[in-house]
């Protein structure tokens, strides 16, 4: 989606959206490793859902300031 948004809006800074998502993923990974001692399939699914919601929130917030 980020490539499409970048292409259709012509604004290159949309390419920076994945960086905060990577930070969210790393925070969740460290949380799961610390709390349950590992990273299971359920944790992977939860991480995917949280990162997807974070992506949509970031896009909406950034879109508001265009």
């Amino acid at each position: 989606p980020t490539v499409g948004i970048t292409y259709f809006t012509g604004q290159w800074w949309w390419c920076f959206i994945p960086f905060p998502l990577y930070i969210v993923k790393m925070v969740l990974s460290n949380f799961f490793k610390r709390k349950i001692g590992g990273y299971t399939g359920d944790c992977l699914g939860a991480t995917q859902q949280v990162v997807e919601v974070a992506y949509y929130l970031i896009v909406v917030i950034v879109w508001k300031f265009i």
Side-chain angles (χ1 to χ4, degrees), residues 33-58:
K33 287 178 184 174
R34 187 181 59 234
K35 288 292 185 180
I36 63 173
Y39 197 75
T40 65
D42 289 339
C43 297
L44 183 62
T47 301
Q48 185 272 331
Q49 292 294 308
V50 170
V51 169
E52 185 173 352
V53 169
Y55 175 81
Y56 294 140
L57 289 174
I58 290 169

Side-chain angles (χ1 to χ4, degrees), residues 1-19 21 55-56 59 63:
T2 304
V3 173
I5 291 172
T6 303
Y7 178 76
F8 289 116
T9 62
Q11 298 172 345
W12 59 272
W13 51 268
W14 285 98
C15 294
F16 291 112
I17 288 178
F19 294 115
L21 300 178
Y55 175 81
Y56 294 140
V59 168
W63 195 273

